[in-house]
Amino acid sequence: MKKLSEEEAVQVTKCCLPPLDDYLEYVKDIFSSHILTNNAKYEIRLETELKNLLNVPCLALCANGTLALQLALRLLKVNGKKIVTTPFTYVATLSSILWEGGEAVFADIEPDSLCIDPERVEECLRKDSEIAAILPVHVYGNACDVNALGYLANKYNVKLIYDGAHAFGCRLNGDSIFRFGDASTASFHATKLFHTVEGGAIATPDIADMHALKLLRAFGHIGDNYECVGINAKMSELHAAMGLALLPHISEIIEKRAKLVKCYDELLHLDEGSLLRRPRLRDGLEWNFSYYPVIFANSEMLEKVVSALVSQKMYPRRYFYPSLTKLPYVNSPPCPVAEDISSRVLCLPLWAEMDTSVVEKVASIVLNAMKI
Ligand SMILES: *Cc1c(COP(=O)(O)O)cnc(C)c1O
């Protein structure tokens, strides 16, 4: 494994790439076929492989994870409606709702898991009968309380769409995390655990959804049959090829990340009584080690750690800061838990090919900065 030179900047992550020759095999074939997109061979192959891997009846690839959310809202006919969601997520969860003409109602998060709190969700549902859906996020790959949320969706007769952008490969009580709710979405952006450079997918429990999803992502028509208003959210053959080349390496990638996470945990002494903690993983979760978030005692300590790391050309990211309730174009009552956690959570650098010497360096800078 290549040692990182002292001068090389360390980002929060580094995109994983398949062996170049594996990718080029696909590219050569794509070049000789002259077929570059439009529900073609490699897109269909990746779709089938992911459907099997994630163990879902229906899976449609699309151009990115944001469009996946937008198509899921349209598929379930909750675009333009009020939707309960979490303020502790990447902004794309929110913007997909707003871009589709809807309104976001924020429910605060659980302080230990950092996923949406079902009790707060129920408060929103009880107060507002116009709410049409719940859009929770398996944040950092941690599982939402799917039982409580499923119960609420049923009780209040609203749709349930999970943003699974961080949760590729996660399992809950032995079951793929993409099997819960009316739909789940994935992001295959280059920085995500598994990626197609840009890409995403929608998974649903009903194979019959595939027809509607194909229409929605390709202008609303199949051949000369124009059925509905659609958009262009297709995945190209070159993108699908990246996914196909990377997919055989995914368990190895997860194993490598698991080792690095263990190494961080040990070096940072993340035990009881530590000034640092990680989100508590849901019982029964097989996690994918997709991020390494640590929660500091206060934001001053976080800021000290960030400056110490940045001075050594190490760039952690404040995923997710600020709480979405604080965005200038949002007008929401406060969500105190999300706002507090957002101010003091930091994702430390983590990628599969990272050398343990980098983990050691990051951990020692973090610990030293906390002492000052
Ligand atoms: C990355 C991400 C998205 C958006 O995915 P893109 O593929 O980048 O459009 C949506 N939700 C969450 C929580 C994300 O982290």
Side-chain angles (χ1 to χ4, degrees):
M1 202 183 290
K2 178 173 154 280
K3 282 255 181 210
L4 284 162
S5 71
E6 288 293 306
E7 300 77 43
E8 211 169 330
V10 170
Q11 304 296 338
V12 70
T13 193
K14 194 165 176 176
C15 307
C16 53
L17 287 167
L20 182 58
D21 285 344
D22 294 5
Y23 185 61
L24 288 179
E25 280 303 305
Y26 289 103
V27 173
K28 279 182 200 151
D29 187 55
I30 292 166
F31 269 57
S32 69
S33 74
H34 286 252
I35 297 171
L36 305 182
T37 187
N38 283 0
N39 206 29
K41 178 167 83 177
Y42 290 129
E43 197 221 342
I44 293 170
R45 188 183 296 175
L46 182 62
E47 216 158 50
T48 309
E49 290 200 12
L50 291 176
K51 183 169 102 72
N52 294 338
L53 182 72
L54 301 177
N55 190 24
V56 288
C58 169
L59 185 135
L61 287 173
C62 62
N64 61 58
T66 308
L67 279 163
L69 283 164
Q70 290 175 236
L71 295 193
L73 296 174
R74 293 223 168 210
L75 175 76
L76 297 168
K77 301 192 165 51
V78 294
N79 53 310
K81 303 273 174 67
K82 276 192 192 170
I83 296 179
V84 187
T85 191
T86 168
F88 188 73
T89 176
Y90 184 57
V91 69
T93 315
L94 169 66
S95 50
S96 65
I97 297 172
L98 302 181
W99 200 267
E100 288 299 332
E103 198 183 312
V105 178
F106 289 111
D108 211 343
I109 56 172
E110 299 172 324
D112 53 352
S113 75
L114 312 190
C115 294
I116 203 166
D117 185 337
E119 283 183 34
R120 302 287 90 79
V121 172
E122 181 155 29
E123 279 170 13
C124 297
L125 291 167
R126 223 187 286 127
K127 263 190 252 164
D128 191 343
S129 61
E130 283 176 15
I131 289 169
I134 315 171
L135 176 39
V137 179
H138 300 301
V139 70
Y140 307 129
N142 196 6
C144 294
D145 186 344
V146 292
N147 292 335
L149 293 167
Y151 170 82
L152 289 177
N154 202 23
K155 178 172 169 188
Y156 290 89
N157 193 25
V158 296
K159 301 293 183 196
L160 178 54
I161 303 165
Y162 286 104
D163 180 343
H166 305 166
F168 187 85
C170 289
R171 299 174 75 81
L172 188 62
N173 299 319
D175 213 354
S176 162
I177 203 144
F178 287 88
R179 285 172 61 82
F180 297 94
D182 298 298
S184 297
T185 65
S187 163
F188 304 141
H189 182 258
T191 55
K192 302 294 202 294
L193 182 77
F194 167 74
H195 76 90
T196 59
V197 186
E198 293 272 2
I202 307 137
T204 85
D206 188 355
I207 183 130
D209 291 334
M210 199 61 202
H211 180 71
L213 287 170
K214 277 186 177 166
L215 282 169
L216 285 171
R217 78 176 173 196
F219 310 103
H221 74 103
I222 295 174
D224 290 338
N225 245 348
Y226 288 78
E227 293 188 33
C228 64
V229 178
I231 195 159
N232 181 1
K234 290 175 269 103
M235 179 180 282
S236 85
E237 287 297 89
L238 289 158
H239 291 84
M242 178 62 86
L244 286 167
L246 202 52
L247 201 54
H249 303 281
I250 206 71
S251 31
E252 189 191 327
I253 288 169
I254 293 177
E255 276 167 34
K256 285 182 175 166
R257 298 176 76 106
K259 287 204 182 103
L260 295 163
V261 162
K262 190 158 172 274
C263 187
Y264 262 133
D265 280 354
E266 284 169 12
L267 292 169
L268 292 171
H269 316 294
L270 281 197
D271 38 21
E272 293 300 316
S274 162
L275 283 173
L276 272 180
R277 70 173 175 100
R278 283 213 281 127
R280 200 174 90 81
L281 298 178
R282 187 85 45 201
D283 288 341
L285 177 73
E286 268 171 67
W287 188 40
N288 60 2
F289 305 88
S290 51
Y291 295 87
Y292 195 81
V294 284
I295 304 166
F296 293 90
N298 52 56
S299 58
E300 292 74 26
M301 199 172 270
L302 174 141
E303 276 154 24
K304 269 198 264 178
V305 166
V306 172
S307 349
L309 286 167
V310 168
S311 75
Q312 301 293 311
K313 294 208 186 105
M314 300 186 143
Y315 302 96
R317 284 293 295 267
R318 295 187 72 174
Y319 293 142
F320 293 98
Y321 173 83
S323 162
L324 299 181
T325 48
K326 297 285 199 187
L327 295 188
Y329 49 86
V330 165
N331 184 8
S332 165
C335 285
V337 181
E339 287 161 21
D340 171 43
I341 297 285
S342 287
S343 74
R344 54 196 180 92
V345 64
L346 185 68
C347 282
L348 299 181
L350 177 66
W351 65 91
E353 299 300 331
M354 183 174 171
D355 198 275
T356 47
S357 66
V358 182
V359 179
E360 284 160 14
K361 193 167 169 196
V362 173
S364 91
I365 296 170
V366 170
L367 291 177
N368 279 325
M370 283 172 66
K371 279 188 217 138
I372 302 164

